[in-house]
């Protein structure tokens, strides 16, 4: 009796499996034909071929059933740097431009890039992959497709799409290889300020010991050296931009940046705070730690908060602990440093910030304990 029951169950499972495989195979063939019908010469797909429903966006005034092509040769923008270096401010200012969309951090992009880097560094693993036919060419094509899908589809379409995941620029050279028309913005900030910010705001970053200024400055030095070296090697594809100069002279440096990116000037980039949460404007995450700061206009409130907060022994050894400070133009012995004088408009913004005129909007205040706990368990 039990044997008969087992036999019937096996037959039923076999039938269900066969039907499922048949259905999936037929569905895959239909999708393949549908994609071919909507493809452009050279294999460029329309968003409508993959999106299904008609959608419009106030940013581009385009309907996604009209040609919105994306491929590895599109002019992507990558913003990066050590966390707490002004990357969120930079992407918010760019997001304010009607022709640009950056959006929130994806978090997955630096992780998949780190995984690819690990495969490449291991001779044994590379040999195994090559033997399996998973060559560099295959991996590069897969990485292009994966990264493009994330960048294109995690927000609205726009004439210029950008990604802001700080540590993605650790793989700047590789990104420049697989996206030949991409440009990169490396945000640079005084390492003492970056480290004080991550420690005082308890921003968990993998590998950084938030209980030690010495350890964090050492890790900052290593990370910024990796990214800065690749930025210089990329030459005309990468613009190093100092956070301090951006907040002191926003119009000067945004004009420089937009010219570098071949994007027409628009005054909206100087008023990102007015476009937060608006259609086609600046979308902020409830769980990113910089959100409460970028709701404010460009100001100098945070420039020298680190002064007097770093242990004396670390201050004494600063030039040895973080030699990149000098290389990047910072005086490791200046406490406080002289970053320069702000533009009159920035001074006015700073006065308004100190008066408390800018508060976190209600729609950004809801951050549950579960989300906070998840952030601690999954550092940057």
């Amino acid at each position: 009796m039990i044997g008969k029951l087992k036999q019937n169950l096996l037959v039923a499972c076999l039938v269900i499996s066969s039907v499922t495989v048949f259905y999936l195979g037929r569905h895959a063939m239909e999708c393949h034909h549908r994609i071919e019908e909507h493809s452009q010469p050279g294999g460029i797909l329309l968003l409508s071929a993959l999106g299904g429903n008609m959608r419009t966006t106030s940013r581009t005034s385009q309907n996604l059933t009209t040609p919105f092509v994306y491929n590895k040769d599109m002019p992507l923008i990558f913003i990066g740097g050590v966390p707490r270096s002004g990357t969120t401010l930079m992407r918010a200012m760019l997001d304010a431009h009607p022709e640009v969309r950056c959006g929130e951090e994806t978090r997955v992009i630096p992780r998949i890039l780190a995984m690819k880097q690990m495969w490449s560094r291991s001779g044994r693993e590379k040999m195994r992959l090559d033997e399996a036919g998973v060559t560099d060419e295959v991996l590069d094509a897969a990485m292009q497709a994966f990264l493009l899908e994330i960048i294109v589809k995690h927000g609205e379409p726009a004439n210029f799409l950008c990604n802001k995941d700080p540590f993605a620029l650790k793989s700047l050279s590789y990104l420049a290889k697989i996206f030949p028309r991409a440009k990169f913005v490396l945000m640079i900030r005084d390492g003492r300020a970056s480290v004080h910010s991550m420690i005082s705001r308890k921003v968990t970053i993998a590998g950084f010991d938030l209980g030690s200024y010495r350890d964090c400055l050492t890790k900052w030095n290593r990370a910024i050296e990796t990214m800065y070296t690749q930025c210089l090697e990329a030459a005309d594809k990468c613009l190093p931009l100092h956070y301090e100069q951006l907040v002191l002279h926003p119009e000067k440096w945004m004009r420089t940046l937009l010219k570098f990116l071949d994007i027409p000037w628009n005054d909206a980039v100087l008023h990102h705070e007015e476009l937060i949460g608006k259609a086609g404007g600046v979308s902020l995450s409830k769980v990113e730690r910089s959100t409460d700061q970028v709701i404010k206009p460009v100001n100098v409130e945070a420039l020298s908060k680190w002064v007097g907060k770093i242990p004396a022994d670390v201050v004494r050894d600063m030039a040895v602990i973080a030699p990149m400070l000098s290389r990047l133009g910072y005086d490791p012995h200046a406490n406080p440093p002289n970053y320069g004088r702000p533009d009159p408009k920035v001074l006015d913004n700073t006065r308004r910030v100190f008066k408390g005129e800018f508060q976190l909007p209600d729609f950004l205040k809801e951050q549950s304990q579960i989300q906070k706990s998840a952030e601690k368990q999954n550092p940057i």
Side-chain angles (χ1 to χ4, degrees):
M1 180 72 180
I2 293 175
K4 185 73 172 176
L5 181 60
K6 285 183 177 178
Q7 185 177 5
N8 290 337
L9 284 172
L10 284 172
V11 170
C13 287
L14 182 61
V15 170
I16 292 170
S17 299
S18 299
V19 171
T20 302
V21 170
F22 172 76
Y23 172 78
L24 289 175
R26 182 177 177 184
H27 182 68
M29 288 178 68
E30 287 176 354
C31 287
H32 176 71
H33 291 311
R34 200 171 299 150
I35 287 173
E36 283 186 335
E37 288 170 5
H38 289 83
S39 295
Q40 296 294 308
I44 304 171
L45 301 181
L46 306 185
L47 278 179
S48 57
L50 301 177
N53 295 328
M54 291 174 58
R55 292 180 294 156
T56 59
T57 170
S58 56
R59 180 182 297 273
T60 58
S61 299
Q62 279 188 316
N63 189 303
L64 293 192
T65 55
T66 62
F68 182 89
V69 296
Y70 63 101
N71 62 14
K72 68 181 181 64
D73 295 312
M74 68 189 302
L76 295 172
I77 303 163
F78 289 91
I79 301 170
V82 179
R84 313 304 304 165
S85 293
T87 56
T88 304
L89 174 63
M90 169 50 63
R91 82 89 173 164
M93 294 176 79
L94 276 179
D95 256 335
H97 195 292
E99 293 192 45
V100 182
R101 191 268 291 160
C102 298
E104 297 85 342
E105 292 179 16
T106 71
R107 297 183 62 85
V108 298
I109 286 179
R111 285 170 168 80
I112 194 70
L113 287 169
M115 191 180 299
K116 169 63 174 67
Q117 207 169 55
M118 181 183 68
W119 294 334
S120 300
R121 286 176 178 170
S122 170
R124 178 177 294 183
E125 188 64 25
K126 188 175 187 320
M127 181 182 69
R128 288 173 174 170
L129 290 171
D130 286 341
E131 279 295 310
V134 186
T135 62
D136 286 342
E137 290 75 16
V138 172
L139 282 174
D140 288 351
M143 291 292 288
Q144 286 169 350
F146 180 85
L147 298 181
L148 264 179
E149 288 300 294
I150 297 293
I151 293 169
V152 170
K153 295 191 176 178
H154 88 112
E156 298 176 349
N159 292 333
F160 295 89
L161 297 178
C162 90
N163 164 255
K164 192 278 283 191
D165 281 297
F167 278 148
L169 261 58
K170 283 186 173 183
S171 299
L172 191 157
S173 297
Y174 178 68
L175 287 168
K177 173 190 169 187
I178 63 174
F179 297 116
R181 290 192 60 204
K183 289 192 175 180
F184 305 86
V185 183
L186 175 61
M187 292 302 299
I188 296 169
R189 186 183 184 184
D190 189 323
R192 296 164 293 189
S194 293
V195 165
H196 174 67
S197 180
M198 64 181 71
I199 288 176
S200 62
R201 293 174 66 88
K202 297 180 174 59
V203 179
T204 308
I205 302 171
F208 284 65
D209 178 5
L210 297 185
S212 168
Y213 273 90
R214 186 178 293 267
D215 177 80
C216 287
L217 279 161
T218 300
K219 302 290 175 51
W220 170 86
N221 192 82
R222 188 181 306 158
I224 194 62
E225 182 177 22
T226 297
M227 291 185 270
Y228 187 62
T229 299
Q230 292 181 66
C231 183
L232 295 183
E233 289 172 352
D236 58 345
K237 289 186 176 182
C238 182
L239 178 69
L241 206 163
H242 288 256
Y243 166 78
E244 294 83 7
Q245 297 310 308
L246 175 66
V247 299
L248 289 170
H249 315 293
E251 181 170 349
K252 172 186 174 181
W253 286 102
M254 288 307 292
R255 285 188 180 276
T256 299
L257 174 63
L258 292 180
K259 183 177 180 181
F260 166 72
L261 297 174
D262 294 319
I263 298 173
W265 173 255
N266 191 296
D267 280 336
V269 299
L270 301 178
H271 309 285
H272 71 278
E273 75 283 358
E274 298 174 5
L275 296 166
I276 290 172
K278 295 183 179 178
V282 182
S283 172
L284 293 179
S285 167
K286 296 175 185 177
V287 297
E288 285 184 29
R289 300 303 294 271
S290 299
T291 293
D292 64 329
Q293 293 175 302
V294 296
I295 61 166
K296 305 169 186 175
V298 177
N299 66 88
V300 296
E301 179 190 23
L303 279 191
S304 300
K305 278 188 173 181
W306 59 271
V307 177
K309 303 296 195 303
I310 301 175
D313 63 307
V314 178
V315 171
R316 184 188 65 237
D317 300 337
M318 191 63 68
V320 177
I321 297 170
M324 282 299 293
L325 284 172
S326 296
R327 188 178 172 192
L328 296 172
Y330 299 104
D331 182 351
H333 305 293
N335 294 281
N338 179 14
Y339 296 125
R341 293 182 59 81
D343 293 341
K345 179 61 178 174
V346 175
L347 276 177
D348 183 56
N349 288 343
T350 306
R351 292 191 193 99
R352 294 171 65 201
V353 167
F354 281 127
K355 286 180 181 177
E357 290 187 24
F358 302 92
Q359 301 299 322
L360 200 64
D362 290 339
F363 71 91
L364 288 173
K365 287 180 179 178
E366 303 167 4
Q367 182 176 350
S368 68
Q369 291 302 314
I370 295 175
Q371 289 169 324
K372 290 181 181 178
S373 175
E375 186 179 71
K376 291 179 181 177
Q377 295 171 12
N378 298 287
I380 294 173

